[in-house]
Amino acid sequence: MEYLLLNYNRTSLRPTTFLLLGIPGLEAVHIWISVPFCLVYLVSLMGNIALLLIVKTDHKLHEPMYLFLCMLSVADLMLTSSTLPKILSLFWFNYREIYFEACLLQMYLIHSLSTMESGFILAMAFDRYIAICHPLRHSTLLTPAVIVGLGLGIVFRGAILLSPHPFLLRWLSYCRTNVISHTYCEFMALIKLVCTETKIRRAYSLIVAFLTGGLDFILIICSYVLILLTVFNLPSKAARLKTLSTCVSHVWVILVFYTPAFFSFLTHRFGHHIAPHIHIFVANIYLLIPPMMNPIIYGVKTKRIRERFFKFLTIKCV
């Protein structure tokens, strides 16, 4: 217990460092869990970097959908790189300490970048809606200036709406413990350590979550309802299947991103009966799997990306 309270400042009731516990109950197998975590991280890095290079070098892929996908890839790379190195150091070397300010920064990056990812997925849904429901206006509505504007708007939304989070937590009293029962720093894990009233801060977190991920998901569903209405009005089955096939990759990205995100969000607030290691494992899946799967999904479904990727591998091998 003395080790767990290391560097704890009892005068200010604010620790100079936190101690990350990892996955509670599974500490003995951290080293084995690290193997798939590391492999997924490496695949995510290589896949997203390859995707960015392919889209950058192939002008035929400079379309709104793939430009938004590149923005999503950049956010994925930043998100995984802000969390996985620390998680792996915890698993491999039992290095649990993280400075208070570094913890707040990691928390901010996780939540703001996740918000940006949600926004980019919404932008991709908007692209599919325009392409299918208003095909003749696609190029005039989604001009390069509009794409840049949407991208910047999504970035600023995530950066600004989540900027109060570190300040909401910085001046609180952490009189219970400085041990975080998690593999990384995130808002709800930190707020549980506070011994003062946190209703306003929790309410702000819920409002931001609804105005970003929740609202994005509702708008995505609305866009696909309109897409389905348009598709069902097409004259032939072949035309309907061909049109729907252009949405398959994006639908998979939506499922991969929002399923663990909603599960993690709901269990944090309402799933008190769920075992902690299950919740934390799903929270890690939310950080790991979408960044790995996004380039794979589009690489498998997009012939041009797939061909360019194999060509890139052939050149490297030669």
Side-chain angles (χ1 to χ4, degrees):
M1 181 59 73
E2 290 179 2
Y3 175 74
L4 294 180
L5 294 175
L6 182 67
N7 289 330
Y8 197 81
N9 189 331
R10 293 184 181 278
T11 304
S12 64
L13 294 178
R14 190 184 328 134
T16 55
T17 61
F18 283 115
L19 295 173
L20 295 167
L21 190 61
I23 304 177
L26 298 178
E27 291 89 348
V29 293
H30 274 175
I31 191 68
W32 299 108
I33 296 173
S34 71
V35 174
F37 273 47
C38 183
L39 290 175
V40 169
Y41 179 45
L42 292 175
V43 172
S44 176
L45 286 178
M46 291 187 293
N48 283 288
I49 291 171
L51 179 65
L52 290 169
L53 290 174
I54 289 169
V55 174
K56 182 180 183 297
T57 55
D58 192 336
H59 293 286
K60 291 185 178 180
L61 292 173
H62 290 186
E63 299 175 4
M65 173 60 81
Y66 300 113
L67 296 177
F68 289 133
L69 180 61
C70 285
M71 297 177 194
L72 179 62
S73 288
V74 172
D76 285 341
L77 286 169
M78 293 177 67
L79 180 62
T80 54
S81 297
S82 66
T83 53
L84 262 297
K86 178 60 183 175
I87 293 173
L88 291 175
S89 72
L90 188 158
F91 287 166
W92 287 341
F93 311 113
N94 202 34
Y95 187 68
R96 300 176 182 275
E97 285 188 284
I98 183 169
Y99 286 106
F100 182 76
E101 290 76 13
C103 188
L104 294 182
L105 176 60
Q106 187 186 62
M107 178 210 64
Y108 171 72
L109 289 174
I110 289 170
H111 292 297
S112 61
L113 288 168
S114 296
T115 298
M116 292 176 201
E117 287 177 327
S118 178
F120 293 134
I121 293 172
L122 172 61
M124 294 163 77
F126 179 66
D127 169 76
R128 289 299 84 205
Y129 164 73
I130 298 295
I132 292 172
C133 299
H134 305 283
L136 298 179
R137 301 176 62 191
H138 185 259
S139 59
T140 56
L141 288 174
L142 288 176
T143 61
V146 171
I147 294 169
V148 171
L150 284 172
L152 289 175
I154 291 166
V155 170
F156 285 131
R157 182 190 70 161
I160 293 171
L161 284 180
L162 277 300
S163 60
H165 272 48
F167 299 101
L168 290 173
L169 293 173
R170 182 174 178 79
W171 308 113
L172 294 174
S173 297
Y174 297 83
C175 59
R176 292 175 181 167
T177 179
N178 65 336
V179 180
I180 301 173
S181 298
H182 215 300
T183 53
Y184 56 84
C185 297
E186 57 101 30
F187 186 83
M188 290 305 297
L190 285 171
I191 208 82
K192 290 177 181 178
L193 307 181
V194 175
C195 53
T196 53
E197 182 57 57
T198 59
K199 284 184 180 179
I200 294 175
R201 291 168 175 83
R202 289 173 183 263
Y204 178 78
S205 177
L206 282 170
I207 291 169
V208 170
F210 174 75
L211 291 177
T212 53
L215 188 59
D216 289 349
F217 186 72
I218 291 170
L219 292 174
I220 289 169
I221 294 299
C222 290
S223 70
Y224 271 95
V225 169
L226 295 172
I227 286 170
L228 288 174
L229 290 174
T230 300
V231 168
F232 289 147
N233 286 326
L234 294 175
S236 66
K237 182 180 179 180
R240 290 194 290 271
L241 291 175
K242 184 178 180 180
T243 304
L244 286 175
S245 68
T246 63
C247 300
V248 171
S249 297
H250 185 241
V251 170
W252 274 112
V253 168
I254 293 168
L255 292 174
V256 167
F257 179 82
Y258 282 104
T259 302
F262 282 136
F263 182 87
S264 182
F265 175 81
L266 292 172
T267 53
H268 244 320
R269 287 161 176 80
F270 311 111
H272 303 296
H273 61 285
I274 295 177
H277 67 273
I278 294 176
H279 162 71
I280 293 172
F281 200 77
V282 172
N284 281 276
I285 287 174
Y286 169 59
L287 289 184
L288 282 167
I289 300 303
M292 179 190 72
M293 291 303 300
N294 292 339
I296 292 175
I297 290 168
Y298 274 90
V300 169
K301 293 297 295 181
T302 307
K303 183 180 178 182
R304 190 160 187 85
I305 292 178
R306 188 169 63 250
E307 289 176 347
R308 294 282 295 186
F309 179 73
F310 286 127
K311 184 179 180 181
F312 177 77
L313 285 180
T314 303
I315 293 172
K316 285 291 182 182
C317 291
V318 173

